[in-house]
Each structure stands twice: as structure tokens, then as C-alpha cells.
Amino acid sequence: MHTVESCQKAKLAIRDTLDVVGGKWKLVLVSILRSGPKGFNELSREAGVSPRILSKELQELEINGLVSRTVCNTKPVTVQYALTPYSVTLEEVLLAMERWGAEHRRKIIAGM
Amino acid sequence: MHTVESCQKAKLAIRDTLDVVGGKWKLVLVSILRSGPKGFNELSREAGVSPRILSKELQELEINGLVSRTVCNTKPVTVQYALTPYSVTLEEVLLAMERWGAEHRRKIIAGM
């Protein structure tokens, strides 16, 4: 049952989550980085997101401790983005969204 | 393990989910409606969202079969919004986000 109090709590927690990983790109970026660290251009290509937006999204993920940024001593200098151990806590959210998205797609296709 | 193929699938499914329930408000609105049907103004107040944006968000939720809109034969006419049976499929996503948001808040407070 959802009481008024448990609803308030649920609403707050969902809003907290959306504040950190909401928006169009953050969870997509995290899901891409699950296959291993990536460079900036690689990420931009795989996600289909413009460099300007990608840079902002990665910075916010970094601030919240979900993505790490490593400057590599190459010529020219390259930057690698990777998931942090903390990002593993998002696995349940990602799996739930994966399952829902796949089911929803099946439903839409079946209904056409 | 995340293979290239399973990653592509995961990315697509997550994107599908975000296309339907992404953005700042939709999951918050669904979580508010879990406590029962609500009128437009009540929803606007509880979510803290402007009427203009609320109207757009509710319309999109309705199109995707997650929220139903009932015009009530009162004077003046009122409109009730409620969750559809299909919206129950979002429970896993909502619960995962609730848990993550609550844990993240605890972590932030503990780290201050």
C-alpha cells in the first residue's frame, strides 16, 4: 500500500535519482561505459550526442562520482572516461529500464 | 559480461524507456498517481510543475498508455488523471529509482 508518507518519500527519492541521472543522456552514457573505458570521441559517436552536450553530461556524472576522467600521457594527450565503483549501484536501475524498454518495444510492435 | 551485442541491445532498450518516461517529470507524476487518481490542479501542486508543462507531460503519458484521463460530469467539468493497468509494468523501474535515490541521499549526507 502507498500511504501519503510513503508516497512523499518515494517521490523525493525518485526526484533525487532523476536529479543525478535524469535527462536524455546520462544513463545511456553509463550503459555504454559498461563495456569498458572510452575516449571522448568514441563516446560521442556511440551515444550520438554532440561534443558540447557530452562534455556537460560527463562533467555532471564526474561530479556525482559515477564516471572517472583520466588524462593519458599520449601524444596528443587523450582522455579516457570510465565507470567508477560507485556507478555499479546503478545496475538495478539500468536493468529495470532495459527490461521495461525491451518489453515496451515488443508491445508496440505486437500492437501494430 | 557485456558483449558488444548485449551492450547495443541494452543501450537501445534504455533509450526506449527514456523516450517514454524520461525527462524531469513523468516518473514523478506516475509515482504521485500511485496513491490514487488526481485532478489537474492537485497534480500540478503536488509535483510542483507548471500547468503548461504538466499538460504536455500528461498528454505524452496518455499517448503511451500509462495514464488515463477522465472528464467528470461535474459543474464545472473536472478532469481526473489515473494510472492505467499498463503503468504497473513500471513498478520495477520506480522501485529501483526509489532505492537508488534513498541510498544516494544517505551517502551524500554521510559524506558531508
Side-chain angles (χ1 to χ4, degrees), chain A residues 31-39 42-43 80-83, chain B residues 2 7:
Chain A
S31 92
I32 291 173
L33 287 171
R34 279 149 117 199
S35 63
K38 299 249 176 327
E42 208 179 345
L43 261 178
Q80 284 269 62
Y81 293 89
L83 293 182
Chain B
H2 301 290
C7 270

Side-chain angles (χ1 to χ4, degrees), chain A residues 65-86:
Chain A
L66 295 166
V67 163
S68 69
R69 181 179 179 277
T70 312
V71 180
C72 305
N73 190 15
T74 49
K75 282 188 182 180
V77 160
T78 51
V79 178
Q80 284 269 62
Y81 293 89
L83 293 182
T84 62
Y86 182 54

Side-chain angles (χ1 to χ4, degrees), chain B residues 30-99:
Chain B
V30 171
S31 92
I32 291 172
L33 288 171
R34 279 149 117 198
S35 63
K38 300 248 176 324
F40 187 87
N41 293 334
E42 208 179 345
L43 261 179
S44 169
R45 216 178 315 116
E46 282 201 33
V49 53
S50 75
R52 204 175 61 94
I53 290 171
L54 179 59
S55 160
K56 195 176 155 287
E57 298 286 273
L58 285 170
Q59 206 171 16
E60 287 172 12
L61 286 169
E62 209 191 328
I63 288 170
N64 283 302
L66 295 165
V67 164
S68 68
R69 181 178 179 278
T70 312
V71 179
C72 305
N73 190 15
T74 49
K75 283 189 179 181
V77 160
T78 51
V79 179
Q80 284 270 62
Y81 294 90
L83 293 182
T84 62
Y86 183 54
S87 77
V88 176
T89 57
L90 280 172
E91 200 63 15
E92 196 195 353
V93 171
L94 288 168
L95 280 176
M97 290 188 114
E98 268 175 54
R99 274 195 282 262

